[in-house]
Amino acid sequence: MKNRVVFFDTTLRDGEQAPGFSMTVDQKIAMAKQLERLGADVLEAGFPIASEGDFESVRRISQELRGCAIAGLARTKKEDIDRAWEALKHAKRPRIHTFLATSDIHLKHKLKKSREEALETAVQWVRYAKSLTEDVQFSAEDATRSDFVFLAQIVEAVIDAGATVVNIPDTVGYAVPDEFGQLIRTLRETVPNITKAVLAVHCHNDLGLAVANSIAALQNGARQVECTVNGIGERAGNASLEEIAMILHTRHERLKLTSGIAHAEIYRSSQLLSNLTGVYVQRNKAIVGSNAFAHEAGIHQDGVLKNPLTYEIMTPVSVGIPESVLVLGKHSGRHALSKRFSEMGCRLSREELDRVYTAFTRLADKKKEVYDADLMMLLQQETPETSAAYVLEGVQVLSGTQLIPTATVRLRRSGETEENSSTGDGPVDAVCRAIDRITGFPARMTEYTLNAVTKGKDAMGEVLLQIEYRKRIYTGRAASTDVIEASARAYLHAVNQAVFHHERSATEKR
Ligand code: KIV
Ligand code: ZN
């Protein structure tokens, strides 16, 4: 059996469908390009029938990326498969990924189908997908809670119908590693035609076992692993790509498995996703969290100084964490700025560079040293996702112990500028209310946190917040040396996503 593991990245599908992680089409394309640089073998670009936005992302990613295979998700239904194919047909290596639940609990309560009907449906639509393209993946949703004999029967039948990849998802994150490994091994030993397809796994993290289960499956013969950057995904998320990749690399002597992942692109991919979605990576997240390589205890620091191998099983540099984070000061020029962004994996257009440079000089005037984290913040703020987004032109606040907090805000959208004022319970509340008056989106703020991006009294204050609008959560993130400005920008970042979604669904209904 080959030792090369296929990495199937579903950041843009399973990851993106989780609350707070939605991305615009342009953001998905930026992420897809980075995933290609990261070395993902297959990119699941979306679920084309789910919305116009998903269709458009899969279509554009199929046209613009030529390196990896592109997959589009479809239920076992003609309209889903046709829509997926329509979006995928220009890809260099298209893959239709169709799925049907196989557990009795899903069959009885969700699909209202007998096992026989499910088997027939799966075979019929795998065959149909195969008539459109060579590469067809079938997923047996909720496989780990399915009757084994029935699961084995459906796996055999879809391979006979032409499936090139058969995926065994632990959809609800229920399995434990030895049990899941055993399931994969038994499928390999009992399904007669199993070698005609690649056996894949897709694990959710409800019990914190997604990565452990994925590794157990690979040790027992699965050769495609489905995962996401930063482990994002439905509920507690999917198996984290960076963790699996670094386990295969760091423990190669034991697992003897290889991958095409470019490890040095891991940190950049993680940061890009966090910047695009406005969601922090938890500090203690393995591989990419800000504490992952920080040694605080004296004994540890002493050991690492004497020899890094005492407490480090891999180096930060190996996953692309820049060695020195201190970069620029107020005398740095446009060229240095552009070079630093490109070292961080962000290729800026001339126009973007102009905007970011102006903001950089303003910041460098206020702050002696500008760090990578500061630069990423500037980039996010100065390159709004869509030309239709609201841009903050100015904010002014009157506040104090004897004053009613009052804010005046000026926003620009599609070339038009509008100004409005409001009072509030505090200065941040007044700013948000003034923004609501202009946008007409009375969102409810559900979370607000303020942190220092870098060190020192002149550090930028970073605001991360969530708003709720029509039962959806949107996340906003921004930083500035002025925390009121950071709050206004973060709020606007979230509101822009709400506006985008609202306008997109209005177009879809037409
Ligand atoms: O979790 C799951 O079962 C899925 C399938 C669509 C593969 O996401
Ligand atoms: Zn899933």
Side-chain angles (χ1 to χ4, degrees), residues 13-14 171 202 204 234 238:
R13 199 277 299 167
D14 211 322
T171 302
H202 171 114
H204 278 272
E234 279 283 352
N238 287 71

Side-chain angles (χ1 to χ4, degrees), residues 13-14 73 97 99 139 141-142 167 169 171 202 204:
R13 199 277 299 167
D14 211 322
L73 187 66
H97 174 195
F99 73 100
S139 288
E141 191 189 8
D142 205 19
N167 181 28
T171 302
H202 171 114
H204 278 272

Side-chain angles (χ1 to χ4, degrees), residues 61-343:
I61 290 170
S62 296
Q63 282 177 340
E64 292 182 31
L65 270 74
R66 305 321 273 170
C68 36
I70 310 295
L73 187 66
R75 287 166 300 184
T76 42
K77 289 175 184 251
K78 184 171 187 315
E79 62 271 31
D80 279 41
I81 295 174
D82 285 341
R83 193 80 178 134
W85 180 239
E86 187 56 31
L88 287 166
K89 66 183 181 197
H90 296 297
K92 191 160 170 216
R93 286 189 291 136
R95 175 182 295 183
I96 296 176
H97 174 195
T98 188
F99 73 100
L100 184 70
T102 50
S103 67
D104 288 339
I105 191 160
H106 276 236
L107 288 175
K108 183 167 170 216
H109 298 285
K110 187 180 83 175
L111 300 174
K112 311 213 181 314
K113 275 189 196 296
S114 66
R115 287 185 188 173
E116 294 67 34
E117 285 168 324
L119 186 92
E120 231 171 79
T121 307
V123 167
Q124 177 183 4
W125 296 112
V126 165
R127 218 173 256 148
Y128 179 66
K130 190 78 177 184
S131 72
L132 302 172
T133 188
E134 162 53 31
D135 195 4
V136 175
Q137 169 167 335
F138 175 78
S139 288
E141 191 189 8
D142 205 19
T144 48
R145 293 192 302 166
S146 302
D147 173 75
F148 179 78
V149 175
F150 177 57
L151 179 66
Q153 212 181 344
I154 208 162
V155 168
E156 183 180 353
V158 294
I159 296 174
D160 275 344
T164 41
V165 180
V166 179
N167 181 28
I168 309 298
D170 184 24
T171 302
V172 290
Y174 179 71
V176 294
D178 68 324
E179 174 192 39
F180 193 53
Q182 185 64 41
L183 172 62
I184 298 301
R185 174 173 290 270
T186 317
L187 281 172
R188 279 189 49 230
E189 288 169 356
T190 56
V191 174
N193 56 0
I194 199 78
T195 52
K196 294 198 179 139
V198 173
L199 199 49
V201 288
H202 171 114
C203 297
H204 278 272
N205 205 29
D206 300 66
L207 293 172
L209 290 171
V211 169
N213 283 334
S214 305
I215 297 293
L218 295 176
Q219 287 179 295
N220 283 284
R223 281 297 174 266
Q224 174 177 293
V225 69
E226 308 203 354
C227 45
T228 58
V229 171
N230 297 341
I232 69 168
E234 279 283 352
R235 306 180 309 280
N238 287 71
S240 132
L241 180 149
E242 57 279 3
E243 292 176 26
I244 298 176
M246 290 313 286
I247 291 169
L248 300 194
H249 181 65
T250 311
R251 299 307 311 275
H252 182 260
E253 90 298 345
R254 182 170 182 91
L255 300 173
K256 307 215 168 9
L257 295 170
T258 61
S259 80
I261 295 296
H263 305 118
E265 292 292 331
I266 284 179
Y267 183 68
R268 212 168 281 156
S269 310
S270 162
Q271 286 293 297
L272 179 63
L273 181 65
S274 171
N275 283 314
L276 291 175
T277 57
V279 182
Y280 278 121
V281 178
Q282 92 202 43
R283 266 175 191 268
N284 61 327
K285 165 82 179 61
I287 319 292
V288 289
S290 57
N291 281 1
F293 294 94
H295 302 278
E296 195 60 33
I299 296 177
H300 289 208
Q301 287 179 350
D302 180 53
V304 169
L305 285 175
K306 287 176 176 146
N307 183 343
L309 287 177
T310 50
Y311 286 99
E312 259 179 21
I313 56 168
M314 56 202 155
T315 63
V317 173
S318 68
V319 296
I321 297 178
E323 259 178 304
S324 153
V325 289
L326 173 62
V327 276
L328 304 165
K330 73 180 193 185
H331 300 297
S332 309
R334 197 177 292 254
H335 180 69
L337 187 69
S338 161
K339 183 163 171 285
R340 189 61 202 164
F341 272 116
S342 123
E343 281 162 7

Side-chain angles (χ1 to χ4, degrees), residues 2 92 152 176 210 314 361 370 405 419 442 444 447 462 490 503:
K2 290 205 188 100
K92 191 160 170 216
V176 294
M314 56 202 155
T361 51
V370 180
E419 191 171 283
R444 194 168 66 84
E447 297 269 348
E462 181 184 36
E503 293 179 353

